Amino acid sequence: MQEFFNISLIITQHLNRGLGERPGVTLSKVSKYKRSLSAEDNNHVLLCDLGGSLGIDQKSSAPRNPAITAMNYMNYEFGVFNHQDVSNISKLRRALSFSDFPWMNCNVGHPRTKEPFFGEPYRVFIVNGMKLIILGSYGGRFIPEAEKKDPILHISRLNTSVKKWLRYIYDLEDPDYVIVCVSDWSEPLEDIVKDMEGVGMLITGSHTLEEDRFDADAGWSNSSNGVLSPSETYPVPESRQVPMHHHHHANQAMHISMNFKTRTNTYEYMGHSVTKIDSELAQLSEDNHLLDLVHYHL
């Protein structure tokens, strides 16, 4: 067991079925980036998506979703839906039938039972013996117009659902470290931060990237609406004074590197760094094997 170890979270969002052979961030280039990290000693890589990458709202006649094919090949660990993904529920369910990894949303449930609609809301990872749990949730309120009269799914209040599932996780799983991921979050966090006792990190995806622009020389740039700052630290109330770090994910790709130390019976969080990697990814070459695989299945 390693005394010091690192967990790299590579987070993507709003790729809009960007497979490759185009400027900017693509799944093909993310695949190249991940492989470079996986070769590092003591580094455990977790690849995840915060929504808007499947292209559910795009027209396509392919028998299976090409983004899912690519993400399976890349060994994504989990995904979290956003408003684009739930714009067509039947199309989304078909795409997910081919997914090798879970899509986690604790507050997207059945209209009657309110139980999670797309399976489990969280996933357990054992990294160097440490039990890491990641809980997924949806920060938007969008429901397709066609679903309002006879809804297929129900969006529960974010803070209520997160609080309930955190209690369940600590009662049942006894985790060493907990991360909460929220897609489509563009409002002040005060209402949910107070209900996140025991959370080590909160990662939020932006609601939209409409103001982002890609420049072939400078890469991606974005202007913030000022609602959330890129990184904030909040004190957690009650007895467990665990620092919670909030990161507003306003780009298409972000790398969070978390450092831990193994103690006799516990694990010590040593800190982390956050890097927006859009510009770096834009300069990489394509993963041709991934593109060949997707082309074969189209």
Side-chain angles (χ1 to χ4, degrees):
M1 186 177 291
Q2 302 156 344
E3 181 181 4
F4 293 94
F5 62 99
N6 183 74
I7 298 176
S8 285
L9 281 173
I10 307 173
I11 306 166
T12 57
Q13 68 168 5
H14 294 290
L15 293 183
N16 297 308
R17 202 177 289 178
L19 305 176
E21 298 182 337
R22 74 173 192 185
V25 182
T26 65
L27 285 168
S28 172
K29 294 175 183 178
V30 173
S31 178
K32 274 286 187 72
Y33 181 82
K34 180 196 174 185
R35 270 192 277 166
S36 68
L37 293 179
S38 299
E40 299 177 8
D41 291 337
N42 301 343
N43 189 35
H44 306 266
V45 181
L46 301 179
L47 184 57
C48 54
D49 188 75
L50 276 184
S53 295
L54 300 182
I56 295 298
D57 54 350
Q58 299 178 16
K59 293 182 179 180
S60 174
S61 58
R64 63 168 64 182
N65 188 293
I68 286 290
T69 299
M71 295 165 93
N72 285 341
Y73 163 80
M74 296 165 66
N75 292 318
Y76 265 75
E77 300 289 353
F78 68 90
V80 182
F81 299 129
N82 75 353
H83 66 286
Q84 291 172 278
D85 302 315
V86 298
S87 63
N88 188 318
I89 304 302
S90 60
K91 196 173 180 181
L92 176 62
R93 295 180 77 173
R94 174 170 174 76
L96 297 191
S97 67
F98 294 100
S99 179
D100 292 340
F101 54 94
W103 292 80
M104 312 182 309
N105 290 81
C106 70
N107 60 326
V108 178
H110 292 273
R112 292 182 179 83
T113 66
K114 306 301 186 294
E115 291 299 313
F117 190 86
F118 294 99
E120 293 298 321
Y122 67 90
R123 186 169 184 183
V124 179
F125 298 92
I126 304 299
V127 182
N128 195 47
M130 184 183 79
K131 181 180 280 191
L132 166 68
I133 292 185
I134 301 179
L135 175 69
S137 54
Y138 173 58
R141 287 291 180 268
F142 175 82
I143 296 179
E145 193 68 32
E147 306 291 344
K148 291 183 178 179
K149 293 183 179 179
D150 186 21
I152 295 176
L153 52 81
H154 172 78
I155 309 298
S156 301
R157 290 186 61 186
L158 180 63
N159 59 333
T160 303
S161 297
V162 169
K163 185 176 183 178
K164 179 186 76 172
W165 281 103
L166 284 175
R167 286 177 176 174
Y168 179 86
I169 286 170
Y170 269 95
D171 287 344
L172 183 69
E173 303 286 0
D174 190 26
D176 294 302
Y177 197 84
V178 175
I179 297 173
V180 174
C181 293
V182 184
S183 68
D184 273 356
W185 189 251
S186 58
E187 301 177 24
L189 289 168
E190 287 79 4
D191 290 341
I192 63 171
V193 166
K194 59 181 174 53
D195 294 321
M196 291 207 179
E197 180 184 356
V199 174
M201 183 174 293
L202 171 64
I203 302 170
T204 59
S206 63
H207 179 73
T208 179
L209 292 181
E210 290 179 355
E211 298 182 2
D212 289 6
R213 298 290 183 269
F214 178 79
D215 181 272
D217 296 320
W220 283 97
S221 63
N222 66 286
S223 56
S224 172
N225 59 11
V227 176
L228 301 173
S229 64
S231 179
E232 301 173 16
T233 301
Y234 298 90
V236 179
E238 308 298 339
S239 59
R240 292 177 61 88
Q241 294 297 319
V242 180
M244 180 166 64
H245 307 277
H246 156 65
H247 299 290
H248 181 206
H249 182 18
N251 285 43
Q252 287 187 298
M254 181 168 69
H255 178 187
I256 299 180
S257 180
M258 308 173 63
N259 305 307
F260 294 90
K261 181 178 181 180
T262 304
R263 297 292 189 182
T264 303
N265 297 311
T266 61
Y267 298 87
E268 181 181 354
Y269 165 74
M270 305 291 289
H272 72 279
S273 62
V274 182
T275 308
K276 295 178 180 180
I277 56 175
D278 292 44
S279 297
E280 182 176 352
L281 288 174
Q283 307 304 317
L284 295 180
S285 60
E286 305 286 356
D287 183 339
N288 291 320
H289 188 274
L290 180 148
L291 296 180
D292 289 343
L293 176 67
V294 171
H295 179 74
Y296 175 80
H297 285 287
L298 287 178

